[in-house]
Structure formats: C-alpha cells, structure tokens
Amino acid sequence: MSNSNLTILSVISNFVIVILKFIVGFLTGSVAVISEAVHSSMDLFASVITFFSIRISNGRQMMIIHMGMGRQRTSLGRLRRCLFLWRVFGLFMSR
C-alpha cells in the first residue's frame, strides 16, 4: 500500500473509533469514555494532518507560493509537534 492509502485508512479508522466511543459514552453516561473519545479525537486530528502533509509533499510545487516540498513538510511537522505539546501540557495540567 502507498503512504496515501495508509493515511486514508488511518483517518477512517480513527474516525470510527471516535464515533463509537462517543456513542458508548453517551449511552452509558460514562464521563471517562467520553473523555477518552475527546482524547481519540486528537489522534484523528493528527491523522488528518499527516494525510494532508503526505498529499502536499507528493504533489507538485505550488506556483503562487514559492515553497519547496521540504518547507511544506517542515511546516506541517511543526503543527504536529505543537499538537503533541498541547496534549502533554493538558496532561500535566490535569494532574
């Protein structure tokens, strides 16, 4: 499988997991399951960022914005790192 197909599979599987966790959490009234669904939605967001970073890096260079493919990858990588640091900060603040 190509990288693009794997990221599509990752986005779909994470989306299904998030929806199922929200459904189970609301049906059972469990705050823990709902909070786990919110946590899984962050994984979904990271998968979507990865999907777009691979799509952009596999595409041709944009003519309007003179950014090379390396800069696009770097920018999206920084976005993923910010997301990770945000999650870590939230973990420490919750303890």
Side-chain angles (χ1 to χ4, degrees), residues 15-92:
F15 180 75
V16 169
I17 288 171
V18 168
I19 294 299
L20 289 175
K21 285 182 180 182
F22 271 120
I23 290 171
V24 169
F26 284 121
L27 289 178
T28 60
S30 173
V31 176
V33 176
I34 294 172
S35 68
E36 185 60 32
V38 171
H39 177 262
S40 294
S41 67
M42 298 299 290
D43 293 335
L44 174 62
F45 184 64
S47 295
V48 169
I49 292 172
T50 303
F51 171 74
F52 283 115
S53 66
I54 288 177
R55 291 276 310 241
I56 289 171
S57 66
N58 288 341
R60 57 185 192 151
Q61 185 175 2
M62 297 172 10
M63 294 301 169
I64 299 171
I65 304 171
H66 298 289
M67 286 180 68
M69 296 303 164
R71 286 188 180 184
Q72 292 171 352
R73 282 187 185 165
T74 302
S75 299
L76 291 167
R78 286 182 183 149
L79 182 61
R80 285 192 56 136
R81 283 192 294 276
C82 288
L83 176 66
F84 176 74
L85 291 174
W86 182 41
R87 291 172 72 180
V88 169
F89 180 73
L91 178 68
F92 283 126

